[in-house]
Amino acid sequence: MVTSAILVGAVMGAMGISYLSERFGRRVSVMVVTAVFVAGAVACSRAPDVTSLIIARVFLGLAVGGATQVVPTYISELAPASKRGNLVTLFNVAIGVGIFLANLVGFTMRDAWGWRPMISVAAIPAAFVFICMFFLPKSPRWTAENEGLASAVEQLSRVRTSRKVIRREIREIHENASDIDESERGWKGLMLPFARPALVAALGIAFFTQAGGLEMMIYYAPTFLSDAGFGNSAALLASLGIAIVYLVMTLLGCLFVDKIGRRRLVLIMGPGSVLSLIGLGIMFAIHPDKGSVGSWMIIAFLLLFMMFNAGGIQVVGWLLGAELFPLPMRAAATSVHAAMLWGADLLVTATALTLVQLVTLGGTMWVYAGVNLLSVIFVYFFVPETAGASLEDIEIALRRGEFKPKVGQDPRIRSYDAEDAEEVGFTTTTA
């Protein structure tokens, strides 16, 4: 209950932040969720009993879900197309840093501090981000729609150095925003037929990102390893190793996702996740003796799974939701995307221990291997390559019905010029 409570709040926070993001902007929304982070961390650390702790964790989850909706969107709308993948996936790297630091604190300070100071420390980075947001620009795309092009130029000028680049990007934003149909705004826009392929791709990749077993490994690895015969210290140390692998692989994924591509990265790394989980299930099924080669194979397969999963679908899953949807419906779409991420995480977290009791620990690994195999198949048939395409290119591809990858042909979304934009109803007036 304590572990899953934050995920319940995350689902609610992800769904609820879209109004705030659309009404007051991405930057203000980030400031709100960081304030909730501070209050939630303090409330958790001072909880007098288990019930109060669960309630405080649900409140803290509101910030977790809200942040995962608005932060990738904010970054994607500030980033140039050629570096959007790198910059949005820095969000994943930050998560990896947080997981690593949490495990490091848990391993080294478990006796000296106790759990209350460990949790209260989480308020410090949240407060730091809150202060920093005062000095960062607004999203130029949100600003163009809500405050006008002059203000958008001012905001974009804070993150671009070339006037030529600014003029071209503002022209694209203007062409995109000047002919917005009111029926495409918010939640009702997600129901439109042309947006359906993006919705299927984003929600599918979100589900498989969390349902593949990685979050379960992060939460319950010490429990599983202790049950497999490892001592408590060894289990916590292995958990620290998992956090290091996650951090390193998300950093590498951040560096190469724009060069390799989103789709290709999952198709390369996904089969490795499947084979690692099959091997891990076999090791758990044969119950190797403590200190034997088999027991070390458990650690090896566990780290290999983390390597393939964290370096593949974990990088892409958080990125695609921020770049697939047109501006009028982007806040609502990213809310649904984030809610699916946390909902799938909640499903896995809440059922992991029960699943182990039903089909054994080895059988559980094989179930997750099947989920990872399905994720590779899903990406192959439903997710085109978006690397190198601007947010406006992706929108045009959706409107022209060219978003679904053509299996056996080039699955990438191509760049479109002004004539292409005119064909799908955009104006070409120079800003």
Side-chain angles (χ1 to χ4, degrees):
M1 288 289 290
V2 172
T3 302
S4 302
I6 197 169
L7 303 177
V8 175
V11 174
M12 295 189 294
M15 294 296 290
I17 196 68
S18 63
Y19 171 79
L20 197 66
S21 177
E22 276 297 299
R23 180 68 178 83
F24 299 103
R26 315 330 186 193
R27 187 181 69 168
V28 171
S29 299
V30 174
M31 296 173 73
V32 170
V33 297
T34 52
V36 175
F37 263 121
V38 173
V42 173
C44 287
S45 68
R46 298 179 64 85
D49 51 47
V50 173
T51 301
S52 300
L53 179 59
I54 291 172
I55 294 172
R57 292 267 292 174
V58 172
F59 178 76
L60 184 60
L62 297 175
V64 173
T68 53
Q69 185 274 344
V70 72
V71 172
T73 302
Y74 176 64
I75 298 171
S76 72
E77 293 182 352
L78 282 173
S82 61
K83 292 182 171 60
R84 189 176 64 247
N86 294 140
L87 293 173
V88 175
T89 50
L90 277 175
F91 177 77
N92 298 67
V93 176
I95 292 174
V97 171
I99 292 171
F100 169 72
L101 292 177
N103 279 277
L104 184 63
V105 170
F107 180 73
T108 59
M109 305 301 293
R110 63 187 185 278
D111 296 323
W113 277 13
W115 67 270
R116 291 184 187 274
M118 289 183 189
I119 291 180
S120 62
V121 165
I124 297 174
F128 176 75
V129 174
F130 178 82
I131 294 170
C132 287
M133 291 308 298
F134 283 99
F135 304 97
L136 293 177
K138 300 177 184 178
S139 160
R141 287 168 170 82
W142 178 88
T143 304
E145 185 181 3
N146 292 273
E147 298 180 3
L149 285 179
S151 182
V153 170
E154 179 184 351
Q155 300 301 321
L156 190 63
S157 299
R158 298 177 62 182
V159 289
R160 302 287 188 273
T161 56
S162 167
R163 289 187 177 183
K164 181 179 179 181
V165 169
I166 293 171
R167 284 197 299 270
R168 184 179 70 244
E169 195 162 343
I170 285 293
R171 184 175 67 248
E172 290 177 350
I173 293 172
H174 175 62
E175 290 169 356
N176 197 6
S178 61
D179 197 31
I180 290 177
D181 190 330
E182 287 299 316
S183 66
E184 297 179 3
R185 290 188 182 275
W187 298 97
K188 56 187 176 183
L190 296 179
M191 300 298 105
L192 296 175
F194 84 87
R196 195 169 298 137
L199 193 64
V200 170
L203 296 189
I205 202 75
F207 174 80
F208 286 117
T209 296
Q210 301 295 71
L214 180 133
E215 297 294 332
M216 182 271 294
M217 300 295 186
I218 292 173
Y219 294 145
Y220 294 123
T223 302
F224 292 150
L225 293 175
S226 296
D227 291 345
F230 291 87
N232 288 335
S233 294
L236 285 173
L237 190 59
S239 193
L240 182 60
I242 288 172
I244 293 172
V245 172
Y246 182 95
L247 175 57
V248 170
M249 292 310 299
T250 50
L251 178 58
L252 291 175
C254 169
L255 295 175
F256 293 108
V257 68
D258 279 320
K259 296 178 182 178
I260 297 175
R262 288 80 157 130
R263 169 189 165 92
R264 185 181 299 174
L265 192 61
V266 177
L267 296 180
I268 290 172
M269 303 294 279
S273 297
V274 176
L275 294 175
S276 301
L277 285 170
I278 292 174
L280 188 59
I282 292 172
M283 289 297 103
F284 279 132
I286 63 177
H287 300 292
D289 295 330
K290 182 179 179 180
S292 65
V293 174
S295 67
W296 290 109
M297 288 291 289
I298 289 176
I299 301 296
F301 279 124
L302 183 57
L303 295 180
L304 281 172
F305 167 70
M306 292 297 298
M307 182 182 77
F308 286 115
N309 195 273
I313 197 169
Q314 294 297 319
V315 173
V316 174
W318 296 91
L319 168 60
L320 287 181
E323 66 181 12
L324 293 186
F325 297 96
L327 180 63
M329 64 187 75
R330 188 169 297 148
T334 51
S335 284
V336 176
H337 177 260
M340 176 63 80
L341 281 161
W342 291 114
D345 192 353
L346 175 61
L347 175 67
V348 170
T349 305
T351 60
L353 299 182
T354 303
L355 189 61
V356 170
Q357 292 176 345
L358 290 175
V359 299
T360 74
L361 189 51
T364 300
M365 297 303 113
W366 294 332
V367 170
Y368 291 137
V371 174
N372 279 268
L373 178 59
L374 289 175
S375 73
V376 174
I377 296 171
F378 177 84
V379 169
Y380 184 77
F381 285 105
F382 292 100
V383 182
E385 184 56 69
T386 57
S390 70
L391 298 178
E392 289 70 33
D393 292 333
I394 295 170
E395 178 169 348
I396 293 173
L398 278 169
R399 293 179 183 278
R400 295 182 63 151
E402 298 175 358
F403 183 84
K404 186 175 180 179
K406 297 177 178 64
V407 178
Q409 302 179 29
D410 187 350
R412 291 175 297 177
I413 289 176
R414 67 184 182 91
S415 297
Y416 294 87
D417 56 23
E419 292 181 2
D420 291 315
E422 254 185 331
E423 288 181 21
V424 291
F426 291 135
T427 65
T428 54
T429 307
T430 302

